[in-house]
Amino acid sequence: MIQSFVFNDGKLVASNLDSDALRLVRADKGLLIWVNLFAPTPEESKSILEDVFSFHPLAIEDCLAASRYPKIEDYEDYLYLVMHAVAFNKEEQFRTTELDFFIGKSFLVTHHSEPLPMVASTIERVQKNPVAITRNMDRLAHFLLDTMVDAYQPVLTNLTQEVSALEDNVFLSHQAEPTEIREFRERRKELSDLQNIVGPQRDVVNRMARGEFKLIRPVLLPYFRDLLGNLNRIETSAKALNEQLYLALDVLLNKATYETNEIIKVLTLLTAITTPSSLIGTWYGMNFDDIPEYHMPHAYPIAALVTGISTILLIIWLRRKHWL
């Protein structure tokens, strides 16, 4: 699907034009264009990326292929930017969606294969009150990036709640559950994915905030520095959560080891306590006719008494050693 918006002096003057009309608008130097490609067909992508804007083939190739890592490239007349939006819910867990930007002086082209709430909310805003964000395309690009970074906070909040819930289970439960290990592994993967995304994105935004690219006006550099600060906070929080998760996992593993040792201790004590009865029972269970005790009067009570006294003495000795 192709969504297009044409602005003049901060006002929306046209929308959803066809390719021929977009070529005419491109020729008018006083107009600004935002084209959003949402899950476009190959024909739609070719029409916009090649025919209307004539982007570099390498940039088009990168845009149409999935990229795991953010990046930014300067093609003199425009910047090509790859970023990743995040989402989190109970059904799908943690997931990311690639968002590609082509940022020019008079145009902005965005491309994504899945619906993004940040893009939908920005479209709604430019349709209702575009003046604040559409006078320049670098400002509109910053607004999209800022909205994208703001969406990281709910993800971080959900992950914080899940890590806290795991900690509560570890410290309040009487025994370690096998499912807890799986939960720890899933949360660790999500936090690792979050750090792997935020880190490179922070580096990309840092280059923009330093004024490395001429298409980013100096007046916007403080805004990009603020965006950089938000990404730094998100990365710091993710690292802290990861450390918190490892500490809780360490407690869980220590608890499991302690429980195993307690079980071994009980079994060992039972073995030790039953040693006298096992020795006497084994000795007199050999059924040799010439064992003299077989013919003694009261042999059975004597054997039982010796077994009982030996067991009691062993228990007393274990208690004095604080092993029981």
Side-chain angles (χ1 to χ4, degrees):
M1 179 171 64
I2 302 175
Q3 299 170 293
S4 61
F5 308 92
V6 181
F7 308 99
N8 184 19
D9 196 24
K11 298 178 181 179
L12 180 64
V13 296
S15 61
N16 297 330
L17 303 179
D18 59 27
S19 298
D20 294 331
L22 286 174
R23 289 191 191 92
L24 294 175
V25 172
R26 281 273 291 145
D28 191 329
K29 301 301 181 182
L31 299 177
L32 303 179
I33 313 171
W34 175 25
V35 179
N36 180 54
L37 297 173
F38 166 43
T41 64
E43 293 76 18
E44 290 174 333
S45 296
K46 181 179 185 301
S47 171
I48 298 299
L49 302 179
E50 293 185 21
D51 300 338
V52 175
F53 291 95
S54 301
F55 292 134
H56 195 283
L58 289 178
I60 295 175
E61 181 182 348
D62 288 342
C63 177
L64 299 180
S67 175
R68 291 185 58 190
Y69 300 104
K71 68 176 182 178
I72 186 169
E73 294 179 357
D74 190 350
Y75 286 92
E76 294 187 0
D77 293 333
Y78 59 90
L79 297 176
Y80 172 62
L81 176 64
V82 180
M83 300 294 273
H84 292 85
V86 295
F88 185 91
N89 55 57
K90 295 300 181 183
E91 290 74 24
E92 297 178 346
Q93 303 263 320
F94 177 89
R95 59 176 302 175
T96 63
T97 301
E98 180 179 331
L99 179 61
D100 299 85
F101 295 78
F102 293 88
I103 309 171
K105 189 173 182 180
S106 62
F107 64 84
L108 173 66
V109 178
T110 52
H111 178 283
H112 53 104
S113 58
E114 298 183 21
L116 291 173
M118 49 167 283
V119 175
S121 64
T122 304
I123 289 175
E124 183 178 353
R125 175 160 180 176
V126 300
Q127 290 174 333
K128 293 181 179 179
N129 183 28
V131 65
I133 58 173
T134 58
R135 289 187 179 275
N136 298 92
M137 291 296 98
D138 55 355
R139 183 176 292 276
L140 179 57
H142 170 269
F143 184 83
L144 282 165
L145 290 171
D146 190 48
T147 308
M148 182 194 75
V149 172
D150 287 344
Y152 277 69
Q153 190 56 50
V155 173
L156 201 59
T157 300
N158 280 325
L159 286 172
T160 302
Q161 292 173 348
E162 293 202 344
V163 171
S164 297
L166 283 174
E167 276 190 320
D168 292 341
N169 290 337
V170 167
F171 288 107
L172 297 179
S173 62
H174 296 291
Q175 60 181 5
E177 298 292 339
T179 56
E180 289 179 336
I181 299 295
R182 184 172 66 252
E183 288 290 327
F184 272 99
R185 185 169 61 248
E186 291 174 356
R187 298 295 84 75
R188 186 179 65 179
K189 181 181 182 303
E190 290 166 354
L191 285 169
S192 177
D193 290 343
L194 182 61
Q195 289 179 264
N196 288 338
I197 291 170
V198 172
Q201 288 193 154
R202 179 206 57 205
D203 296 337
V204 167
V205 173
N206 184 41
R207 294 179 64 188
M208 301 172 78
R210 291 201 311 261
E212 184 175 330
F213 307 104
K214 63 181 181 180
L215 286 170
I216 305 297
R217 294 172 298 147
V219 69
L220 279 183
L221 297 185
Y223 295 92
F224 280 99
R225 286 196 290 268
D226 179 71
L227 188 62
L228 177 63
N230 291 337
L231 286 170
N232 282 332
R233 284 190 290 272
I234 291 170
E235 186 178 28
T236 301
S237 298
K239 287 181 179 178
L241 276 179
N242 209 13
E243 292 176 2
Q244 184 179 344
L245 190 67
Y246 271 107
L247 288 174
L249 180 59
D250 190 49
V251 171
L252 178 66
L253 295 177
N254 287 337
K255 179 186 285 188
T257 302
Y258 175 78
E259 291 169 355
T260 302
N261 290 339
E262 285 296 301
I263 293 172
I264 294 173
K265 178 182 176 181
V266 170
L267 294 176
T268 304
L269 289 173
L270 288 175
T271 302
I273 291 172
T274 57
T275 297
S277 59
S278 298
L279 289 174
I280 295 174
T282 302
W283 178 262
Y284 290 106
M286 291 187 293
N287 296 320
F288 293 146
D289 187 59
D290 59 348
I291 294 178
E293 289 86 350
Y294 277 172
H295 306 290
M296 290 176 58
H298 312 296
Y300 179 78
I302 292 172
L305 183 63
V306 171
T307 301
I309 292 173
S310 301
T311 302
I312 292 171
L313 291 175
L314 181 59
I315 292 174
I316 293 172
W317 183 75
L318 290 172
R319 283 188 177 277
R320 286 185 176 179
K321 292 286 187 179
H322 302 289
W323 295 347
L324 184 62

